[in-house]
Amino acid sequence: ILSPEAKKKYISDMIGEIEGGWQDFCLESSGDINIKEDPGGLKDVNNSLLLFKTLYELETCNQREIMEQIKNRETQLVPFLGELGETVDFLKIFRDLYRIMVAGDDRIEFRYIEEISNLMGLNPGRPQVPIRTLLHGHLTRNKKAIKGLLSFIKNSFFN
């Protein structure tokens, strides 16, 4: 268990890391997406949930359980956590299939995407653009939800 000072520093540093990653982000010239590192990616989700785990001294490491415990404590966060729950499942499944079928990497190269898209039932036989748009949409929704969670933490923990 962290001292109040150490907890405050950890939370402040983590918020800085998440938001700093957004500010430093440059879209790859190839248009490829990194499901872990891009804004709203799995790293941002994990770090934002770690903030709540620390803030409320939750014992579980399971992301679903963390989200449920937060929802039970802070009902105003239900929309943000519901959004994360939906998008994270999709991104994890997509990433896992990509890693198994293409490469053990979090950077999605769209030239290899058709087989995975077909397996998931996403736009079979259509161009790759809708899949790219779908993935960007999930990352954007995650980022928006995480912004809401970080705003709550800043307002309730630092004021």
Side-chain angles (χ1 to χ4, degrees):
I1 298 193
L2 297 173
S3 70
E5 298 81 24
K7 183 186 284 189
K8 190 170 187 172
K9 181 178 178 351
Y10 171 79
I11 290 171
S12 178
D13 289 351
M14 286 294 283
I15 290 172
E17 181 178 331
I18 294 168
E19 292 178 338
W22 297 343
Q23 292 171 352
D24 297 340
F25 176 72
C26 293
L27 186 64
E28 292 197 31
S29 60
S30 65
D32 293 345
I33 292 174
N34 187 313
I35 286 181
K36 179 181 175 189
E37 299 291 339
D38 282 8
L42 297 175
K43 181 179 177 183
D44 287 347
V45 173
N46 186 58
N47 285 344
S48 63
L49 294 177
L50 282 175
L51 287 171
F52 281 96
K53 181 176 168 45
T54 302
L55 185 61
Y56 294 124
E57 298 177 4
L58 304 177
E59 293 183 10
T60 184
C61 292
N62 180 293
Q63 287 186 338
R64 280 271 170 217
E65 290 175 10
I66 292 170
M67 285 190 255
E68 286 305 313
Q69 289 181 31
I70 298 166
K71 286 179 191 178
N72 291 334
R73 292 178 90 135
E74 306 293 350
T75 57
Q76 69 269 36
L77 298 179
V78 168
F80 301 120
L81 294 165
E83 188 72 45
L84 280 185
E86 290 177 25
T87 58
V88 166
D89 288 345
F90 176 84
L91 292 173
K92 283 183 176 181
I93 291 167
F94 194 93
R95 180 193 63 178
D96 290 348
L97 287 172
Y98 185 86
R99 284 179 158 185
I100 291 167
M101 297 173 70
V102 179
D105 193 0
D106 291 313
R107 188 170 61 87
I108 306 301
E109 296 181 43
F110 286 92
R111 63 180 179 216
Y112 300 115
I113 210 94
E114 189 172 341
E115 200 172 334
I116 297 163
S117 300
N118 290 338
L119 186 61
M120 291 183 73
L122 304 171
N123 301 319
R126 293 189 186 162
Q128 298 168 356
V129 174
I131 304 306
R132 184 186 315 263
T133 302
L134 180 66
L135 289 172
H136 274 292
H138 281 295
L139 292 172
T140 300
R141 288 168 50 197
N142 274 358
K143 183 179 174 186
K144 184 177 178 182
I146 292 167
K147 278 184 176 182
L149 296 174
L150 295 182
S151 177
F152 172 83
I153 291 172
K154 288 177 191 176
N155 291 333
S156 62
F157 190 70
F158 290 106
N159 289 333

